[in-house]
Amino acid sequence: MSVLSGKGALVTGGSRGIGRAVVERLVADGADVAFSYRADAERAGRVAEETGALPVRADQARKEDLERLFGEAEKRLPGIDIVVMNAAEVGRGLIAEASEETYEQVFAVNARAMFLAVRWAAGVMRDGGRIINVSTLNTAIAAPGVGLYAASKAAAEQFVKVAARELGGRGITANTVSPGATDTDMLHAGNSPEALAQVPAFTALGRIGRPDDIASVIAFLAGPDGRWITGQNILATGGMIL
């Protein structure tokens, strides 16, 4: 029997990159999976066709979209056992030049959505469930241009840490996974080829991460072997921080 047989999982931002790898891995491990996507219905359709997962169009910045996503997950999954909050907004730019509109957008996607997800999960998740937040190495390493992103992700990390305390009595774990440089569209959009070529030299394992590297860590936390880990931030960076 697959380790996640009978479990229901929701993954946000599941049509590409890390999110897609998570959908693929959780399905392979036996879970029934629903995932959100924001705009690319064609790509989401391919993921659904290849995995059997349920695609739901939802913009994580919109509260009503999240509420509809949560409702679809409740209706279509056998139960809510795993919630992986992966979708993110980077909002690159210097703090001195950032607009309040950009602040609102980035914090809505990265922080408010995490709050709403934890609040929802607290009410519907079955005992022994798993809440997993996908964050970023940038909450540990400050870098110019990612102030809004790092701050909003740090807020999400704190929601998860407190949830670990509040929900632990039901056997529900809540953890963060913080990837380092991972080969995704987001990484390539925000970095020059020259900068990316230097990454392996700063990584103990000598390469850029792959989405399935991160999905494997998330699958571990989502599965039965992750039952004794909660309130943690696992740096899945290949050794960029030692």
Side-chain angles (χ1 to χ4, degrees):
M1 180 180 292
S2 300
V3 295
L4 296 180
S5 179
K7 303 293 187 182
L10 173 64
V11 180
T12 67
S15 66
R16 61 182 183 172
I18 292 171
R20 176 172 182 158
V22 172
V23 170
E24 293 170 344
R25 177 59 187 269
L26 295 182
V27 168
D29 284 353
D32 291 298
V33 179
F35 69 92
S36 72
Y37 68 97
R38 183 166 63 179
D40 195 337
E42 182 178 350
R43 186 180 300 205
R46 289 197 298 270
V47 176
E49 183 178 353
E50 293 169 7
T51 65
L54 171 70
V56 180
R57 187 167 191 160
D59 182 346
Q60 200 160 288
R62 295 170 55 86
K63 180 182 177 183
E64 56 269 34
D65 279 19
L66 276 176
E67 290 174 343
R68 179 169 48 80
L69 172 65
F70 296 156
E72 285 295 310
E74 286 184 62
K75 287 190 298 183
R76 305 288 289 275
L77 296 176
I80 305 301
D81 301 287
I82 301 161
V83 175
V84 181
M85 293 297 287
N86 166 73
E89 184 86 26
V90 177
R92 290 184 181 275
L94 299 177
I95 294 172
E97 299 171 358
S99 68
E100 292 182 20
E101 290 76 16
T102 302
Y103 169 90
E104 296 290 346
Q105 173 72 14
V106 172
F107 270 76
V109 172
N110 298 341
R112 186 181 67 181
M114 192 72 241
F115 157 69
L116 293 173
V118 169
R119 187 176 68 177
W120 167 69
V124 304
M125 182 169 276
R126 296 193 285 201
D127 290 357
R130 306 283 192 263
I131 297 170
I132 301 167
N133 168 45
V134 181
S135 188
T136 172
L137 183 64
N138 289 128
T139 62
I141 296 179
V146 295
L148 295 181
Y149 180 54
S152 60
K153 283 295 192 177
E157 290 174 12
Q158 293 305 309
F159 282 129
V160 171
K161 188 173 289 189
V162 173
R165 286 285 190 189
E166 294 180 350
L167 302 177
R170 294 169 49 197
I172 294 172
T173 67
N175 291 287
T176 289
V177 175
S178 290
T182 307
D183 190 9
T184 63
D185 293 345
M186 182 182 292
L187 180 74
H188 289 279
N191 297 275
S192 69
E194 293 76 19
L196 294 179
Q198 298 177 35
V199 169
F202 295 99
T203 305
L205 294 178
R207 63 174 174 85
I208 290 177
R210 299 185 301 265
D212 64 291
D213 293 324
I214 312 306
S216 293
V217 178
I218 291 170
F220 167 74
L221 292 173
D225 289 342
R227 64 188 177 276
W228 199 235
I229 299 175
T230 195
Q232 303 303 305
N233 185 348
I234 297 177
L235 300 179
T237 69
M240 292 187 79
I241 293 183
L242 297 176

